[in-house]
Amino acid sequence: LLTEVSGSFTKKVKLILPKEVVITDAKGNMITVDQVSVGTKIKVNHDGIATFSLPPKTTAISVEVIE
């Protein structure tokens, strides 16, 4: 999953989504990554570790659709 990050100098981050990652819609219902479309705004909790590659890569713990 490739995301845009506001306020970041790189503008994009590649999210690694392990099988156990929890993805929820705006109402809190669990959904799959296939239900998240291009342009959807999301909030991501990640492990805090990112690669130095461009775009940086980090592992998502949870993903919440906010719009």
Side-chain angles (χ1 to χ4, degrees), residues 32-45:
T32 66
V33 69
D34 297 329
Q35 293 172 281
V36 180
S37 58
V38 172
T40 301
K41 290 190 179 185
I42 59 174
K43 178 181 176 183
V44 178
N45 291 314

Side-chain angles (χ1 to χ4, degrees), residues 4-54:
E4 280 196 23
V5 180
S6 59
S8 171
F9 75 95
T10 62
K11 298 291 183 198
K12 296 187 186 292
V13 173
K14 185 172 184 176
L15 295 174
I16 299 165
L17 301 174
K19 284 190 249 182
E20 63 273 3
V21 70
V22 175
I23 305 172
T24 56
D25 64 15
K27 295 180 182 177
N29 301 309
M30 288 183 66
I31 60 173
T32 66
V33 69
D34 297 329
Q35 293 172 281
V36 180
S37 58
V38 172
T40 301
K41 290 190 179 185
I42 59 174
K43 178 181 176 183
V44 178
N45 291 314
H46 61 92
D47 64 8
I49 300 169
T51 66
F52 286 108
S53 61
L54 291 175

